[in-house]
Amino acid sequence: MMTLSNLSRRSFLAAAASSPLLAAAKAKNVPVGLELFSVRDELAKDLMGTVKAVAKMGYAGVEFFSPYMQWTPAQTKDVRALLDDLKIKCFSTHNGADSFSPEKMGKAIELNQILGSKFIVMASSGKIEGPDGWKTVADKLNAGAEKFKPAGIRAGYHNHQTEFKEVNGKRPIEIIAANTSKNVMLQLDLGTCVEVGYNPVEWINKNPGRINSMHLKEWSPETGYKALFGEGKVPWKAVLDAAEKVGGVEYYLMEQEGSRFTPFESAEKCLASYKKLRA
């Protein structure tokens, strides 16, 4: 029988790490950031003030979206200094397909390095037709992944409804997953996935280690994306469990596309509901 008296430090730590209770506690430490599209109007009026407000709510980080590509390196350094002062992180950036183009890829890398972002996520691929078109998107993601790698940045793809709708018997997201490097993150948008009737837990389980971040966006048949976290049809407990046990999730991003409350109030209420669920 193994006792504490004859247990080596290494063996003890290994045994402790395997404890279901400790594993569950560790899983719940996944940081939660805010996709700043949720407060886009406020951000456009007062970038620094909005980031400060988000940090004050208790968010651990942010995801900037495409307008950040208009910043100069000097402006980006000012934003990074603020993030450091607030002790929050820029987990990733939300980009148009042009950030993966040869003309803009260099700037995307430069700005993301300054911000400390670990993922450049393609959030819009433009109008795509047929399986071959989606394979072209996959090729662009793979090319981006190779260019980003020396800078310590990974490529990612963010789905909307379209990617989960069948085209000639195949879902575009399946084509992207099958034709991209395992190093390309599949950032799962929960609301759009659930809206089209696809089971997000099934998708996570089919792609172990690749769901490194998720947009915690709710969806309800009655109010659409205006539902706050926990008010709609997303099976949150099952989704979060799968993400942490199988998906390889590194961070979550709350996203809210408008509700009966102000954007700041919505972001705060969503985070509170998330914390209550995980308590």
Side-chain angles (χ1 to χ4, degrees):
M1 179 177 179
M2 186 179 290
T3 66
L4 286 177
S5 60
N6 62 19
L7 197 61
S8 71
R9 182 176 183 276
R10 179 177 295 178
S11 297
F12 175 73
L13 292 175
S18 65
S19 162
L21 290 177
L22 187 62
K26 184 177 180 182
K28 291 184 181 181
N29 286 332
V30 177
V32 182
L34 182 68
E35 161 51 56
L36 291 174
F37 187 75
S38 305
V39 290
R40 53 196 175 277
D41 292 336
E42 290 74 10
L43 192 72
K45 294 172 186 174
D46 183 1
L47 169 61
M48 300 303 207
T50 297
V51 173
K52 288 178 183 177
V54 169
K56 188 176 180 180
M57 291 176 198
Y59 282 100
V62 296
E63 182 178 73
F64 290 103
F65 60 104
S66 52
Y68 87 92
M69 281 290 286
Q70 299 169 15
W71 300 346
T72 65
Q75 289 172 314
T76 310
K77 288 176 182 177
D78 288 341
V79 174
R80 174 61 187 274
L82 176 64
L83 296 175
D84 290 344
D85 287 345
L86 295 171
K87 294 181 172 54
I88 64 173
K89 297 182 181 296
C90 172
F91 294 123
S92 52
T93 58
H94 213 55
N95 300 259
D98 57 347
S99 291
F100 286 71
S101 69
E103 298 78 16
K104 294 192 176 182
M105 201 179 290
K107 184 173 184 180
I109 293 171
E110 180 184 18
L111 298 187
N112 278 268
Q113 277 188 303
I114 294 171
L115 289 169
S117 166
K118 298 302 181 185
F119 293 91
I120 297 176
V121 181
M122 186 188 296
S124 174
S125 53
K127 187 177 181 180
I128 307 297
E129 294 185 5
D132 289 342
W134 289 105
K135 287 179 182 178
T136 299
V137 174
D139 290 342
K140 186 175 286 190
L141 288 165
N142 286 329
E146 285 301 308
K147 289 290 186 180
F148 302 156
K149 190 174 181 179
I153 298 171
R154 291 173 59 190
Y157 189 82
H158 177 93
N159 69 271
H160 292 90
Q161 299 95 327
T162 300
E163 287 85 350
F164 276 101
K165 293 179 180 178
E166 285 192 4
V167 179
N168 298 326
K170 198 80 171 176
R171 292 178 177 85
I173 194 67
E174 294 171 337
I175 296 172
I176 288 173
N179 290 278
T180 50
S181 160
K182 299 297 183 184
N183 194 47
V184 174
M185 171 177 68
L186 301 173
Q187 186 183 71
L188 179 58
D189 183 311
L190 274 308
T192 57
C193 175
V194 169
E195 182 185 14
V196 298
Y198 195 93
N199 183 346
V201 175
E202 180 182 341
W203 179 247
I204 294 168
N205 288 333
K206 282 183 177 179
N207 294 278
R210 297 194 68 182
I211 317 296
N212 308 117
S213 77
M214 302 195 307
H215 275 213
L216 307 186
K217 184 163 67 182
E218 186 62 273
W219 179 80
S220 161
E222 295 77 27
T223 58
Y225 301 130
K226 293 185 182 298
L228 297 177
F229 181 94
E231 294 182 347
K233 292 293 186 180
V234 178
W236 289 114
K237 288 187 177 181
V239 164
L240 299 175
D241 187 57
E244 292 164 11
K245 290 182 179 178
V246 180
V249 70
E250 298 175 23
Y251 61 99
Y252 295 123
L253 291 164
M254 197 65 71
E255 183 182 5
Q256 184 65 38
E257 292 193 10
S259 76
R260 58 195 181 277
F261 301 102
T262 70
F264 280 149
E265 288 173 333
S266 297
E268 195 164 21
K269 287 178 182 294
C270 284
L271 183 59
S273 294
Y274 171 86
K275 289 180 176 179
K276 185 177 180 180
L277 178 70
R278 308 311 302 272

